[in-house]
Amino acid sequence: MNSRRDFLQKAGISTLAISLPFSEALSAIHLEREDKVLRVAIMGLGSYGTRVAEAMKDCKRAKLVGVISGTPSKIEAWQQKYGIPAKNCYNYENYHLIKDNPDIDAVYVITPNSLHKPHSIGVAKAGKHVICEKPMALNAEEGREMIAACKAAGVHLLVGYRMHFEAKTLEVVKMQRAGEFGKTLFFQGLSGFMIGDPTQWRLNRDLAGGGSMMDIGVYSINGARYMLGEEPIWVTAQEVKTDPVKFKQGVDETITFQMGFPSGAVASCLSTYSMNNLDKFFLNGTKGFAEMQPSTGYGPIQAKTNKGPIEADHVTHQTTQMDEMAAIILDGKKPIIPVDGEEGLKDLVIVDAIYEAVRTGARISLI
Ligand code: NAD
């Protein structure tokens, strides 16, 4: 083998590239590599957007290449920090122009909850794949509109469910699916933290769509579904409010809720903005149990079962998430636990039912 062919093959270049003159082969190398990386713009350069950007530095399949923000000074700072070219910077008035930008494949929507729907639909209309933060929308109706818009535009809609790629979570899920805990009949999900600044958007119903349930309670809803491996058929819920000044009408402070599943399993969950260190999943079956604490924080996640602790290296959740999402979008990879719009919608249907149960005191059927 001649040395050029040897070099190209070692570099993993296709026979197409090998048959090209050397300079063209190098550009084919470039193209092939570029083609395998999801080029992402982040919309909403706040605290979580920053966390995702930092985590993406270690991604192998996803790259931060653009930003959408209403604050010019933030755009400038991000350009410096992440080497983002001016042609990939947009604001909320002109981001529809992203449709003419061939260097951006997907937009990660990380804005306040009530903006997820309009922003995601705007991105879909611009022909770019949508990755949207949780909760996907304020309610199931909005979620359905987002799914329809992404379908019509022929783009993916993925929800930022980082736990669906976390190693210890996946091990517990694998054990549950393999029947290692026997018939799983009980799940407990505790999700909460003490919220600070009363003026923040999370305590503004118009922007948050509710209170703790929209923000942190969704982890227990989602966790109950992936830990038990089935969909609930009924919901009951109760609200407790100790501070009606901070938690105004329509902004829930604490909600306890229960879900019933077709197998006979039940889930008992708590969502709160008034207690810290509340981040625990417990799954019990006829033959064993799994306990995770912390269960959905940024980690490291701790998990043990009746057989002992689950060991796995901690990898920054958002790094794994973005690499896996690139594989879903670029290679059609099927994740073990779905992260698509339909998955987001299932949680929103339950959120709607929980709020209805709080309002009416009734047991809400989901079938
Ligand atoms: P944040 O307040 O830190 O950031 C929100 C960003 O949106 C800010 O940069 C803000 O300027 C921008 N924005 C655009 N339009 C706005 C408007 N009209 N009003 C207010 N802000 C506006 O919030 P965050 O903590 O980054 O949360 C953003 C989203 O990410 C939320 O949906 C939240 O649920 C989600 N989130 C997910 C995780 C996770 O682990 N998956 C963690 C934190 C937050």
Side-chain angles (χ1 to χ4, degrees):
M1 188 183 286
N2 70 36
S3 61
R4 175 183 154 237
R5 183 174 290 263
D6 193 20
F7 162 74
L8 289 170
Q9 283 203 340
K10 275 194 185 130
I13 309 309
S14 70
T15 41
L16 167 72
I18 292 171
S19 66
L20 294 171
F22 196 55
S23 59
E24 282 175 57
L26 280 180
S27 74
I29 297 170
H30 183 68
L31 275 179
E32 284 193 4
R33 294 228 168 118
E34 284 291 300
D35 281 347
K36 289 188 173 170
V37 169
L38 186 74
R39 298 160 308 171
V40 179
I42 290 184
M43 175 189 273
L45 312 183
S47 108
Y48 196 64
T50 303
R51 186 178 286 275
V52 171
E54 286 297 303
M56 284 183 72
K57 285 180 182 168
D58 294 325
C59 280
K60 294 184 174 62
R61 301 288 316 271
K63 185 167 191 261
L64 174 63
V65 299
V67 290
I68 300 157
S69 168
T71 314
S73 58
K74 278 196 209 166
I75 294 183
E76 209 176 301
W78 279 54
Q79 279 193 264
Q80 302 272 331
K81 199 165 179 196
Y82 302 108
I84 294 167
K87 69 173 183 58
N88 289 356
C89 298
Y90 297 86
N91 58 42
Y92 294 105
E93 280 70 51
N94 70 12
Y95 77 90
H96 60 280
L97 297 175
I98 211 164
K99 71 178 188 315
D100 301 318
N101 189 333
D103 298 332
I104 294 173
D105 304 310
V107 175
Y108 195 159
V109 176
I110 317 186
T111 48
N113 305 345
S114 69
L115 302 173
H116 291 178
K117 182 187 104 166
H119 285 158
S120 296
I121 292 177
V123 169
K125 285 191 170 150
K128 303 297 177 183
H129 299 296
V130 179
I131 303 172
C132 178
E133 251 321 308
K134 46 60 53 181
M136 183 172 101
L138 297 190
N139 52 53
E141 191 184 334
E142 285 195 359
R144 289 191 189 96
E145 282 179 59
M146 289 164 69
I147 291 171
C150 290
K151 202 171 168 194
V155 296
H156 281 270
L157 169 59
L158 305 183
V159 185
Y161 287 128
R162 60 188 160 77
M163 300 316 299
H164 292 202
F165 305 105
E166 194 277 324
K168 292 178 187 172
T169 303
L170 289 175
E171 182 58 25
V172 171
V173 165
K174 196 174 106 194
M175 290 175 75
Q176 192 274 346
R177 303 293 189 269
E180 292 193 38
F181 308 126
K183 186 175 178 188
T184 43
L185 287 169
F186 180 70
F187 171 82
Q188 183 187 40
L190 306 176
S191 302
F193 66 94
M194 274 180 88
I195 197 150
D197 177 9
T199 65
Q200 64 185 287
W201 68 260
R202 281 181 167 79
L203 296 172
N204 172 336
R205 186 184 157 75
D206 290 344
L207 286 167
S212 76
M213 181 56 62
M214 298 304 289
D215 191 32
I216 194 78
V218 289
Y219 284 99
S220 274
I221 295 175
N222 191 245
R225 295 178 44 248
Y226 64 68
M227 297 279 278
L228 286 165
E230 52 183 332
E231 300 300 326
I233 51 176
W234 58 257
V235 166
T236 50
Q238 308 79 32
E239 181 176 6
V240 178
K241 200 172 278 203
T242 65
D243 186 347
V245 177
K246 190 169 188 178
F247 304 102
K248 302 201 167 43
Q249 179 75 26
V251 179
D252 49 283
E253 176 185 344
T254 299
I255 290 180
T256 53
F257 60 99
Q258 305 75 37
M259 295 184 276
F261 293 80
S263 67
V266 286
S268 173
C269 305
L270 178 76
S271 165
T272 186
Y273 266 160
S274 289
M275 279 177 266
N276 273 337
N277 305 309
L278 206 60
D279 180 8
K280 183 176 173 180
F281 284 177
F282 178 69
L283 180 72
N284 204 71
T286 51
K287 291 201 311 208
F289 70 86
E291 192 176 298
M292 307 179 71
Q293 187 178 21
S295 56
T296 66
Y298 297 135
I301 299 301
Q302 303 289 346
K304 67 175 181 190
T305 73
N306 49 297
K307 293 177 180 164
I310 292 180
E311 309 288 357
D313 289 341
H314 172 70
V315 180
T316 303
H317 298 171
Q318 297 81 4
T319 306
T320 312
Q321 174 202 327
M322 293 309 289
D323 272 340
E324 289 294 320
M325 287 188 165
I328 291 169
I329 292 173
L330 299 175
D331 310 339
K333 184 173 176 182
K334 291 256 175 295
I336 295 164
I337 313 171
V339 288
D340 56 11
E342 296 295 339
E343 173 75 8
L345 178 60
K346 285 178 183 165
D347 288 336
L348 293 174
V349 167
I350 299 168
V351 168
D352 286 352
I354 288 170
Y355 282 131
E356 191 185 343
V358 164
R359 252 190 334 267
T360 61
R363 174 167 135 156
I364 308 300
S365 171
L366 294 168
I367 46 174

